[in-house]
Amino acid sequence: MKNATKVNPPFALPARVERLGELCYNLWFSWTPAAIDLFKQIDPQAWETVKHNPVRLLREVPEKRLEAIATDEAFLNAYDAVVKSFDYYMKDNTWFKDTYAQHTGNGVVYFSAEFGFHESLPIYSGGLGILAGDHIKAASDLGIPLTGLGLLYKKGYFDQRFDMGGQQHADQITYEFDKLPISPVLDSNGKPLLVSVHIIERDVTLRIWKVQVGRVNVFLLDADHELNAPSDRDLTAQLYGGGQEVRIAQEMLLGIGGIRALRSMKLPIQAYHINEGHAAFITLERMREYMKHGMPFSPAAEMVRSSTIFTTHTPVPAGHDAFPLGMFDYYFKGMYSELGGNRDAIVNLGLNHENNTFNMTHLALNLCGKANGVSKLHGLVSREMFRNFYGPLAVDEVPISSVTNGVHLETWMAAEWKTMLDQYLPAEWTKTQHDLSIWNAVDSIPDEEYWNVHTDLKSKMIDFARQNLKAQARRVGESETHIAEIDNYLSSSALTIGFARRFATYKRATLMFSDLDRLDHLVNNPKQPVQFIFAGKAHPADIPGQQLIKHIHYVSRMERFKGKIVLLENYDMNMARYLVTGVDVWLNNPKRPLEASGTSGQKVALNGGLNFSILDGWWEEGYDGTNGWSIDTPEGVQDGPHLDQVNVHSLYSTMENEIVPMYYTLTKGVAKKWIERSKNSVKTLAPVYNTSRMVSDYTNLFYVPTIERAIRFSADDFDRATKLAYHKQFVRNNWHHVTVMTIEDNNPPRQNEETKKTVKDVFATVFSGWIEPQDTAVEVVFYEDKGSHWEQVVLRMDSPKEVGNHLYRWRTQIPAHLTHGDQFNIRVRPFHEDFSHPHELHLVTQA
């Protein structure tokens, strides 16, 4: 493969500014205000026309203009400064190199079905993609040796437009790849590097494209190749397009093709991160690789498990991809022989016994060593959801942890905010942004300066919203009188509430419309008006979601709400930047706990806006009572109309009694109490809910331990993996013999000298059959009253003494008042030092 970092642009540039060709192909520009301004200076109008795509800009701008900037002293000064900043960024020492120098040559690959980097590369649909893009950017900032891998969609997601009645229409646009900030990966002969995936009875050829994101390379696979049949060329046409047949084929291309692409580029990968179940087929392809070189099925599975991480994002079972077994057989029958020919063993890796489907999340959980949700609450929901998958365990023992999502600060913080913070926070504060202490300096920012920055950004957002509404009006044929009226829509002095996200029913975008008279009172209060900005897309197949859009459009056209409730068209990253930096309040009212994390509110918090949300996802852990507001859901209130009523009452009461009065209580023209709460929001949320913290968490908790585990398991011709695989099989075959024979808990109480608590000895006699005692963990399980909840306690018994043939007596101390059966239990589980988690074998014997 040719050099993976250098790009030779397919257009000529004057020698003095030739590195513009390098800058335009590295998305570092997209989170660097000086670089954005540099491209904008070339032709401000064209910059907007090409949707901030510097590759198109440089391809289409007249040659005379390029010659002019090459002699423009002001432009050249700015150019030199940006190039110097870029070189410093690319060569600077990094957190990973300083912290884990021994692992700089051990790569991590991050698989995702979508990546949201920037509006110039529209291959994302929403939160999952934006999170993936922010993850990659933070990995670049921190110097993680990470590679991204996904699919390149010829038609992206879709462009949204509304008709006169508010019906969403999905416009497909076919992108010209040579005008995007991507470049083809070439082989040693300078020709496009190709890989293929066998699907049913034909091979689908994939071309590999590269996106440079700072220090990180992301590779995208493209089936639109002349060697493929037309139907196969369309497999990577659209993100989340088509039915299950297209979905399973896309996921084969992503998972199987992705691994083959990595191998063709000879990239040194030790850890594999699956971002949602779409890419879980990487596990089967990697098993196939090991088995091709003579490794048996079970050791191959151990090798994959030792080096795989899985992140789930979906808090409802229906959201996890699953395919009928007949469909899975049809698509994978050609691969069965390469995986040892044991169809049942392969199917069992992903089998959901409850509905007899092949479930991609089950496949990932079976073949990953570490798994996590994307907020503390979502981790709990995931543990509850997959509790049966792991056997008879308490929820807290299910081996799914959590890493709460964050956002890329440099992408989502307005340049105006960053400029202000540069004056008050320590030098190079962005490099230590997840250090809570540095953010206390926010209190030193004068209220007037703080308020002025916010109101300036709010005015820019309102100007942007008006332009969007005018463009809508012209396209649908509204009168010039109506178009002129839009200049009076929205007010820069009114309290402005934003709601922008995917229009899915559980997000309840129209919740507040259940009381239009109360809404009327809010928006038309002459002294304290409130206005609302809505935006978002519904999936083209989501009819209920599209009905939400129609309803918002209908209400926004009512005379009493006209110009005070607006619905913007074609929500994308560019629009999102205006909204999250300009609103006063960000509204989020999903049905709890269906918001796995959510990140839009985190972007608002970076920019001084305040969150007003159901305590769901990240807000459940981020809200502290002083940094925003919550929409209350009392304990015991279940889903249904009553839940909506309770939430609506809380929503309106909080707005009327707290939010609106606080915003309009001014001291010398400034809302002092509002600013105090806004500063609390920035201080408590910005250092925590950013991807610098998030990706360093992934690195410390998952990436480095997984790299080290994979290295151990690969050593000595995979000796450790092989031994563990056969040990597991031996345990499975013999576990039925394990029996708790007797329990002695009537021993006299005594005081523990260390804890000063009254305890007693408890003994358990266990028959372990052919399994050695050191290969079992015998445990006492009971619950302690913590006031607000009961907490499970697990005590490991020790000092086994042989008291008969394969019969061992174990002991430990427990609180003296506990009695067996009613208040504590004894269980036995397999144990091995190489298990990735204590319940890896899903085997438990209880007394």
Side-chain angles (χ1 to χ4, degrees):
M1 184 186 74
K2 283 197 170 183
N3 191 302
T5 57
K6 185 173 177 59
V7 173
N8 296 311
F11 46 80
L13 292 167
R16 180 64 178 84
V17 291
E18 65 180 358
R19 292 194 67 189
L20 286 173
E22 183 180 357
L23 293 173
C24 75
Y25 278 99
N26 193 315
L27 289 173
W28 172 85
F29 84 81
S30 70
W31 71 85
T32 308
I36 294 170
D37 288 343
L38 186 70
F39 286 118
K40 188 175 181 179
Q41 284 181 49
I42 296 173
D43 188 329
Q45 184 175 351
W47 180 244
E48 298 302 323
T49 300
V50 300
K51 296 184 177 181
H52 309 156
N53 179 347
V55 174
R56 273 193 64 191
L57 179 77
L58 294 177
R59 287 180 67 98
E60 297 177 9
V61 73
E63 186 177 346
K64 288 184 179 180
R65 179 55 187 155
L66 295 175
E67 293 171 353
I69 63 173
T71 58
D72 183 319
E73 184 176 352
F75 182 89
L76 293 176
N77 288 337
Y79 167 82
D80 290 340
V82 169
V83 169
K84 182 179 179 181
S85 178
F86 176 68
D87 288 341
Y88 175 78
Y89 177 89
M90 296 296 286
K91 296 177 182 178
D92 191 20
N93 284 337
T94 65
W95 171 82
F96 188 87
K97 186 175 181 180
D98 291 342
T99 311
Y100 296 110
Q102 72 275 28
H103 290 309
T104 53
N106 296 315
V108 180
V109 63
Y110 179 92
F111 277 79
S112 183
E114 55 174 306
F115 287 96
F117 299 119
H118 187 247
E119 60 268 21
S120 62
L121 187 57
I123 55 170
Y124 59 92
S125 72
L128 179 70
I130 303 301
L131 173 79
D134 282 7
H135 190 113
I136 296 293
K137 294 171 187 176
S140 171
D141 295 339
L142 295 168
I144 315 296
L146 186 139
T147 296
L149 211 144
L151 298 178
L152 180 59
Y153 303 99
K154 188 78 171 178
K155 298 178 181 178
Y157 191 43
F158 68 91
D159 277 358
Q160 178 195 57
R161 62 181 174 85
F162 304 137
D163 62 22
M164 288 283 283
Q167 177 62 49
Q168 172 184 281
H169 295 271
D171 288 346
Q172 304 303 327
I173 297 177
T174 300
Y175 296 105
E176 299 175 72
F177 290 165
D178 62 349
K179 294 183 179 180
L180 296 178
I182 62 176
S183 56
V185 176
L186 306 179
D187 63 20
S188 57
N189 297 315
K191 295 183 178 180
L193 186 63
L194 305 176
V195 295
S196 65
V197 177
H198 189 76
I199 296 181
I200 309 176
E201 295 179 350
R202 79 279 188 192
D203 288 334
V204 177
T205 298
L206 298 169
R207 190 173 181 180
I208 308 169
W209 298 80
K210 179 186 63 183
V211 187
Q212 288 183 250
V213 187
R215 302 179 178 95
V216 172
N217 288 325
V218 177
F219 297 100
L220 304 174
L221 308 178
D222 161 33
D224 186 25
H225 191 278
E226 60 187 10
L227 292 177
N228 295 329
S231 58
D232 288 337
R233 296 183 73 155
D234 283 342
L235 287 176
T236 57
Q238 192 171 6
L239 175 61
Y240 304 141
Q244 279 201 309
E245 298 275 354
V246 171
R247 178 64 67 90
I248 194 172
Q250 281 189 341
E251 295 185 359
M252 291 176 72
L253 297 182
L254 174 61
I256 300 171
I259 294 296
R260 294 177 184 180
L262 293 174
R263 304 299 183 250
S264 70
M265 294 181 286
K266 298 180 172 58
L267 298 179
I269 303 299
Q270 290 287 1
Y272 299 76
H273 188 173
I274 303 172
N275 187 44
E276 194 56 290
H278 310 118
F281 287 141
I282 72 166
T283 58
L284 298 183
E285 172 61 11
R286 293 186 58 224
M287 285 183 63
R288 186 197 66 80
E289 289 181 319
Y290 286 118
M291 296 179 72
K292 181 180 178 181
H293 292 92
M295 187 178 288
F297 185 93
S298 294
E302 291 304 325
M303 281 307 304
V304 171
R305 189 178 291 109
S306 73
S307 53
T308 306
I309 302 146
F310 172 57
T311 298
T312 177
H313 295 259
T314 309
V316 292
H320 295 257
D321 279 356
F323 304 105
L325 287 186
M327 178 182 289
F328 179 76
D329 281 333
Y330 182 59
Y331 277 83
F332 274 82
K333 60 185 178 183
M335 201 172 184
Y336 284 162
S337 61
E338 297 182 82
L339 287 167
N342 189 339
R343 180 262 183 193
D344 290 345
I346 297 164
V347 167
N348 280 334
L349 291 172
L351 182 62
N352 184 339
H353 294 276
E354 294 179 3
N355 56 22
N356 212 37
T357 60
F358 191 90
N359 186 290
M360 297 295 281
T361 299
H362 285 212
L363 175 63
L365 291 174
N366 269 319
L367 289 173
C368 72
K370 295 184 180 295
N372 70 283
V374 290
S375 69
K376 290 179 181 177
L377 179 59
H378 179 236
L380 172 60
V381 170
S382 298
R383 288 190 291 275
E384 290 175 338
M385 190 186 315
F386 293 103
R387 183 177 180 179
N388 292 337
F389 180 85
Y390 289 98
L393 300 180
V395 169
D396 287 345
E397 293 184 288
V398 173
I400 300 176
S401 61
S402 65
V403 175
T404 301
N405 284 346
V407 297
H408 188 243
L409 182 147
E410 290 84 346
T411 294
W412 296 106
M413 180 177 279
E416 293 87 340
W417 275 104
K418 187 174 182 300
T419 298
M420 180 177 66
L421 292 178
D422 284 342
Q423 299 176 51
Y424 296 95
L425 269 60
E428 296 192 315
W429 59 272
T430 58
K431 290 187 177 181
T432 56
Q433 62 190 255
H434 53 282
D435 179 352
L436 281 163
S437 64
I438 68 172
W439 291 87
N440 291 327
V442 168
D443 283 333
S444 66
I445 302 173
D447 287 352
E448 292 77 9
E449 182 179 354
Y450 191 95
W451 185 251
N452 288 338
V453 169
H454 173 65
T455 53
D456 286 349
L457 287 166
K458 183 175 176 180
S459 295
K460 291 180 180 179
M461 174 192 69
I462 288 173
D463 288 343
F464 176 88
R466 288 171 180 163
Q467 294 306 312
N468 182 280
L469 294 167
K470 283 183 179 181
Q472 285 187 56
R474 290 191 182 98
R475 187 178 42 71
V476 300
E478 295 277 15
S479 68
E480 288 301 319
T481 301
H482 174 80
I483 293 170
E485 287 177 354
I486 294 175
D487 284 327
N488 298 317
Y489 282 14
L490 305 174
S491 167
S492 59
S493 61
L495 172 61
T496 304
I497 297 177
F499 184 104
R501 51 186 47 85
R502 180 169 56 94
F503 281 116
T505 52
Y506 79 87
K507 294 177 183 285
R508 299 189 296 181
T510 59
L511 183 66
M512 68 172 57
F513 294 167
S514 60
D515 192 338
L516 292 182
D517 290 336
R518 209 166 175 181
L519 182 61
D520 187 346
H521 178 74
L522 274 177
V523 303
N524 290 308
N525 185 323
K527 294 183 179 180
Q528 298 182 339
V530 181
Q531 58 195 15
F532 295 85
I533 300 177
F534 287 87
K537 294 178 178 179
H539 189 280
D542 183 3
I543 303 305
Q546 293 177 47
Q547 290 301 315
L548 294 174
I549 293 173
K550 288 188 71 173
H551 189 43
I552 296 169
H553 181 271
Y554 171 74
V555 172
S556 73
R557 304 279 288 192
M558 290 181 177
E559 195 60 38
R560 55 180 169 167
F561 299 125
K562 190 177 292 184
K564 298 163 187 175
I565 296 175
V566 300
L567 175 63
L568 306 186
E569 185 179 69
N570 205 29
Y571 186 47
D572 66 358
M573 290 183 72
N574 182 47
M575 182 186 294
R577 279 195 297 273
Y578 280 98
L579 295 179
V580 301
T581 60
V583 297
D584 300 307
V585 174
W586 195 252
L587 178 63
N588 188 33
N589 44 235
K591 290 181 178 178
R592 188 179 188 272
L594 301 183
E595 189 81 274
S597 178
T599 56
S600 58
Q602 297 171 351
K603 300 169 185 126
V604 172
L606 291 178
N607 294 284
L610 290 168
N611 279 273
F612 180 32
S613 175
I614 296 284
L615 292 177
D616 198 8
W618 78 278
W619 190 235
E620 193 268 345
E621 60 195 82
Y623 174 64
D624 69 2
T626 71
N627 56 5
W629 295 273
S630 68
I631 300 170
D632 296 333
T633 301
E635 290 292 332
V637 176
Q638 301 298 317
D639 190 9
H642 183 51
L643 173 65
D644 289 351
Q645 291 171 8
V646 169
N647 289 158
V648 166
H649 176 73
S650 175
L651 189 157
Y652 274 109
S653 295
T654 304
M655 288 182 64
E656 294 163 345
N657 299 321
E658 297 184 43
I659 298 176
V660 174
M662 184 181 291
Y663 183 83
Y664 284 104
T665 300
L666 305 181
T667 303
K668 295 182 180 180
V670 175
K672 294 282 187 180
K673 289 292 184 182
W674 183 276
I675 292 172
E676 179 183 345
R677 188 166 289 243
S678 173
K679 288 182 176 180
N680 284 339
S681 174
V682 173
K683 288 187 301 179
T684 58
L685 303 177
V688 178
Y689 299 100
N690 60 69
T691 45
S692 178
R693 185 275 310 158
M694 181 188 84
V695 175
S696 62
D697 281 353
Y698 273 108
T699 303
N700 294 327
L701 299 174
F702 296 156
Y703 291 166
V704 169
T706 299
I707 287 170
E708 293 175 345
R709 182 178 172 86
I711 291 172
R712 288 197 308 272
F713 274 51
S714 298
D716 301 322
D717 199 23
F718 312 106
D719 179 67
R720 211 170 188 120
T722 302
K723 287 179 177 177
L724 181 61
Y726 291 130
H727 172 79
K728 283 184 175 181
Q729 191 58 52
F730 174 81
V731 171
R732 288 191 187 98
N733 291 341
N734 290 279
W735 190 255
H736 62 282
H737 294 299
V738 175
T739 308
V740 179
M741 305 299 291
T742 62
I743 296 169
E744 305 167 44
D745 72 329
N746 294 319
N747 298 297
R750 56 189 173 83
Q751 189 177 54
N752 182 293
E753 293 302 322
E754 292 182 9
T755 65
K756 305 303 181 183
K757 294 182 178 180
T758 303
V759 298
K760 65 180 178 181
D761 288 331
V762 62
F763 297 91
T765 304
V766 177
F767 177 76
S768 54
W770 297 110
I771 299 174
E772 296 295 329
Q774 65 266 26
D775 294 329
T776 63
V778 183
E779 297 168 333
V780 177
V781 181
F782 60 93
Y783 288 82
E784 285 185 347
D785 185 356
K786 295 297 184 179
S788 61
H789 66 284
W790 287 86
E791 185 174 291
Q792 180 179 262
V793 178
V794 179
L795 297 179
R796 182 99 175 253
M797 304 184 81
D798 56 19
S799 305
K801 293 183 179 180
E802 189 168 10
V803 295
N805 192 22
H806 303 296
L807 200 63
Y808 293 84
R809 190 169 184 253
W810 301 73
R811 67 166 295 278
T812 193
Q813 292 179 354
I814 64 172
H817 68 278
L818 298 177
T819 58
H820 176 249
D822 295 328
Q823 294 163 321
F824 79 88
N825 200 5
I826 301 288
R827 72 181 185 190
V828 188
R829 62 173 174 81
F831 171 80
H832 194 283
E833 63 178 357
D834 282 332
F835 283 175
S836 58
H837 55 79
H839 300 283
E840 188 165 323
L841 276 181
H842 305 192
L843 295 173
V844 177
T845 293
Q846 302 194 65

